[in-house]
Amino acid sequence: MPNSPEIVRTSEQSSQPLRWDRVDIDALDCIAANLAVLLDFAGVHDLRTPFAAEWHFSFCRSGRHPSPILARSSISQMIARYAGCTIESHSLTRAADLHVGLSGSLPALPFLVFGDAYYMPWLPYCGNQHIDHSAIVTAIDGSSAAIVDAYLVKTEWGDAHPISTSVSLDALSASMNALSSEHRGIAWTIRRTTTPALDINSTLHDNANAILHNVGHHQALHSFADHFGSVGSELDSQRAFALHCWLAMRTRLLHRRWLLDLATTHPDRLPISFVNDFQENVVEPWLKASGFAYIALRRLRDGRSPTDAAFRLIVEQIAPAELAAAERLCDAIVAAPGLTDESARRSGC
């Protein structure tokens, strides 16, 4: 286990202007949660739509570590389209010593950095699991950095909760240097550029078409379950499958909240009955699948045979439920004002 420098926790009454109380921290991954905090700092009012508006699932079995794609757009595209902001990327690898890079190469605080959670002393992953993570640097004082991390998750080593704390630059630099991904040595800042204008009908119609195409025509959920079912006795693969199910569950949970916002503010565009059905037939089965995948991981880690309950649930219940929801969404779009039957037909619904 790496050396873990002492963490100095800041007071809840700190002058730190960053906050996470308006962020869906229980439904966002570690990058999105901290980006949402930066969006809030930049003055963005709607912190849900950028991360919740796209309902998607695609999967390609090629590559060394195939992963499902849970949004049609990249994170930078979603931030631009739905929040009117630009993610500006800065390289910290220009300085041989990241202390120098952290102290002088960025235009302004706060900024987001990436590191290996195995070397981040405020996380339960520290010393236990290598995984890309993010944190927001809010200040640098001598040999330490004040950081905010809005991530919320339960792990087998304990729970991670949103935190405002201080960590040594040595620890932060070590975690950043340990990355082998495209995020190594990268920092992000947020800049507001435009006022976003959400096209509700277009967004809903793109969501429905994407599910019908990928889950229906390309059988993406079946391929996902088949692939990880075929390597289910491998610990790393089972761990990846559990993570993917957990992320898919969170995206569906968050999308359901966005749908509820939409049905509440624009009942002429989306009936509340669709939202209720989405919760019962899509979100809740994903919750079960995520739980089953974690149980299978624990069984495998304990030397027992993993169950196939999550794989069967995805194929037999979740895939048809997502297709049925997409078909019903198409019906709701056609019936909504502002989109004719002909334009809906041309766009696929």
Side-chain angles (χ1 to χ4, degrees):
M1 179 174 177
N3 293 328
S4 297
E6 181 180 0
I7 296 175
V8 180
R9 298 175 185 272
T10 59
S11 166
E12 291 184 0
Q13 301 302 317
S14 166
S15 59
Q16 169 57 255
L18 271 64
R19 41 189 294 201
W20 52 76
D21 55 297
R22 295 203 310 117
V23 176
D24 291 292
I25 57 174
D26 63 329
L28 293 173
D29 64 29
C30 68
I31 295 176
N34 286 325
L35 274 177
V37 171
L38 287 180
L39 289 177
D40 182 62
F41 181 79
V44 175
H45 175 71
D46 182 0
L47 302 178
R48 178 170 292 163
T49 297
F51 309 100
E54 295 190 1
W55 170 32
H56 187 81
F57 194 100
S58 60
F59 183 76
C60 180
R61 299 179 69 159
S62 63
R64 184 178 178 184
H65 301 293
S67 302
I69 298 174
L70 301 174
R72 295 185 302 281
S73 309
S74 68
I75 191 72
S76 59
Q77 290 170 334
M78 290 191 292
I79 294 297
R81 181 178 301 125
Y82 303 115
C85 291
T86 297
I87 295 177
E88 298 185 329
S89 184
H90 311 267
S91 175
L92 299 181
T93 57
R94 294 174 296 174
D97 184 349
L98 277 175
H99 292 69
V100 178
L102 284 169
S103 301
S105 67
L106 290 167
L109 290 164
F111 55 84
L112 182 147
V113 296
F114 299 93
D116 185 340
Y118 190 90
Y119 299 98
M120 291 180 162
W122 64 92
L123 293 171
Y125 296 113
C126 184
N128 292 307
Q129 185 175 351
H130 295 279
I131 188 170
D132 281 22
H133 195 71
S134 75
I136 303 170
V137 178
T138 63
I140 295 175
D141 183 12
S143 61
S144 66
I147 61 107
V148 164
D149 186 355
Y151 193 40
L152 177 67
V153 68
K154 294 181 180 293
T155 80
E156 57 192 287
W157 307 287
D159 299 346
H161 295 280
I163 186 173
S164 175
T165 190
S166 179
V167 65
S168 76
L169 283 177
D170 284 336
L172 192 59
S173 296
S175 71
M176 294 168 66
N177 276 319
L179 281 183
S180 58
S181 71
E182 71 278 8
H183 290 138
R184 186 178 188 274
I186 296 298
W188 284 352
T189 55
I190 292 288
R191 180 170 59 90
R192 294 195 72 176
T193 52
T194 62
T195 299
L198 178 66
D199 186 332
I200 295 174
N201 279 346
S202 177
T203 301
L204 291 176
H205 132 297
D206 288 346
N207 288 343
N209 279 345
I211 294 298
L212 292 172
H213 180 73
N214 292 303
V215 175
H217 181 69
H218 284 292
Q219 299 280 290
L221 281 166
H222 288 72
S223 295
F224 171 62
D226 289 345
H227 171 76
F228 283 98
S230 67
V231 293
S233 59
E234 300 173 10
L235 185 58
D236 286 346
S237 294
Q238 185 62 52
R239 182 180 288 115
F241 175 69
L243 174 62
H244 296 324
C245 287
W246 178 79
L247 289 171
M249 174 271 292
R250 281 197 164 194
T251 62
R252 270 52 182 165
L253 173 65
L254 187 59
H255 186 65
R256 183 264 177 191
R257 291 178 185 172
W258 182 79
L259 290 172
L260 180 59
D261 292 342
L262 188 58
T264 302
T265 56
H266 299 280
D268 57 328
R269 303 294 181 92
L270 190 71
I272 191 66
S273 59
F274 177 84
V275 182
N276 295 334
D277 288 346
F278 192 88
Q279 171 67 27
E280 179 180 354
N281 299 319
V282 175
V283 177
E284 292 178 9
W286 269 115
L287 284 165
K288 292 179 182 177
S290 180
F292 288 150
Y294 181 71
I295 291 171
L297 175 61
R298 293 296 300 268
R299 287 178 60 88
L300 188 59
R301 187 179 292 113
D302 293 341
R304 295 178 290 164
S305 298
T307 67
D308 65 349
F311 305 121
R312 289 188 287 104
L313 185 61
I314 290 170
V315 170
E316 298 172 6
Q317 186 171 343
I318 292 177
E322 294 225 354
L323 282 175
E327 291 169 353
R328 185 176 178 193
L329 183 56
C330 279
D331 293 338
I333 294 169
V334 170
L339 187 70
T340 67
D341 286 357
E342 176 60 20
S343 62
R345 185 192 63 77
R346 289 198 308 268
S347 62
C349 281

